[in-house]
Amino acid sequence: MKDEMWMRTWTDGHPHFSEDLHRGIMWLFTPLRHLGQWITQPGASGALTRRKAR
């Protein structure tokens, strides 16, 4: 009986859980994506090679 109640609760709450999980993952990875875009800018690679040359 407890298993059935747990499964019904899981099934009812799963869409909400999935939305929260997706929102949390996007909150974590969005700044990293912007950092990756900044690093791959044309001027950024030149700045890194100049630092290595010094």
Side-chain angles (χ1 to χ4, degrees):
M1 185 66 175
K2 287 184 181 182
D3 291 341
E4 182 182 349
M5 290 182 345
W6 185 84
M7 286 302 295
R8 287 178 190 234
T9 304
W10 172 260
T11 305
D12 292 341
H14 187 72
H16 183 68
F17 171 75
S18 296
E19 290 171 5
D20 288 345
L21 185 62
H22 182 261
R23 188 173 29 252
I25 290 171
M26 293 306 292
W27 181 80
L28 288 172
F29 286 114
T30 298
L32 294 175
R33 187 172 358 127
H34 293 302
L35 179 64
Q37 290 172 352
W38 178 79
I39 289 173
T40 58
Q41 288 179 352
S45 62
L48 290 175
T49 55
R50 282 186 291 219
R51 286 184 187 169
K52 289 180 182 178
R54 288 184 188 177

